[in-house]
Amino acid sequence: MILGIGTDLANIDRISGTLERFGDRFRNRVFTEVEQAKAERRRDTVGTYAKRWAAKEACSKALGTGLRMGISWKDMAVSNLRTGQPVMEVTGWAAERLKAMTPAGHEAIIHVTLTDDHPWAQAFVVIEARPLADGAPDTGARVDS
């Protein structure tokens, strides 16, 4: 079953201006060290930051909170599988919220997709509750950390 859906559209030029204006202060407030390292290795550094910004906004919407109620930007982080597929990991208050919204006998799976076409970066997040296999312990939400 679907627990939440979120989307966001970020303007890459706006993120570029914010990076120029606030630099490390912005990077360190919003992005984890892993996210920063990934972006700084990419040819399109700003586009990479913009997609991750959009993913965090979309995730907060899918959690049903937006960026309020105690969620920190760094409570949501995008990494990539070896295949390149983006993966959303939640910690802190975002993980607590995810666990609270996951029905007993289910695990929560966060699906994320990212795209960009200058000047836009876009993200979609879908949170799915998947039934646990029979006999598996009920641990609530699956939270990657």
Side-chain angles (χ1 to χ4, degrees):
M1 88 183 68
I2 302 298
L3 297 179
I5 299 172
T7 185
D8 193 66
L9 186 64
N11 185 289
I12 296 169
D13 294 332
R14 182 174 151 251
I15 298 298
S16 178
T18 302
L19 284 164
E20 287 173 18
R21 192 164 156 202
F22 298 106
D24 285 342
R25 184 172 157 217
F26 172 68
R27 278 184 202 87
N28 294 332
R29 179 174 169 248
V30 175
F31 302 101
T32 66
E33 289 180 17
V34 171
E35 289 173 311
Q36 290 181 47
K38 173 76 172 184
E40 296 300 325
R41 285 192 310 266
R42 301 292 303 266
R43 181 175 41 91
D44 183 12
T45 300
V46 176
T48 301
Y49 279 123
K51 286 185 280 192
R52 277 150 177 74
W53 170 277
K56 290 167 185 273
E57 288 273 5
C59 185
S60 72
K61 293 171 186 175
L63 289 167
T65 64
L67 285 162
R68 58 183 174 85
M69 297 175 61
I71 286 185
S72 162
W73 286 104
K74 289 185 177 182
D75 284 348
M76 302 165 288
V78 178
S79 60
N80 296 85
L81 300 177
R82 290 178 195 249
T83 61
Q85 177 184 349
V87 178
M88 178 66 70
E89 299 175 28
V90 294
T91 58
W93 197 91
E96 291 173 24
R97 171 70 179 146
L98 181 63
K99 187 173 182 175
M101 65 191 283
T102 303
H106 291 74
E107 65 177 344
I109 310 296
I110 302 175
H111 303 277
V112 61
T113 186
L114 309 172
T115 191
D116 66 297
D117 186 8
H118 196 86
W120 301 107
Q122 186 173 33
F124 286 95
V125 170
V126 175
I127 301 175
E128 170 192 11
R130 189 176 294 166
L132 293 168
D134 287 338
D138 182 1
T139 60
R142 186 187 84 189
V143 179
D144 299 321
S145 54

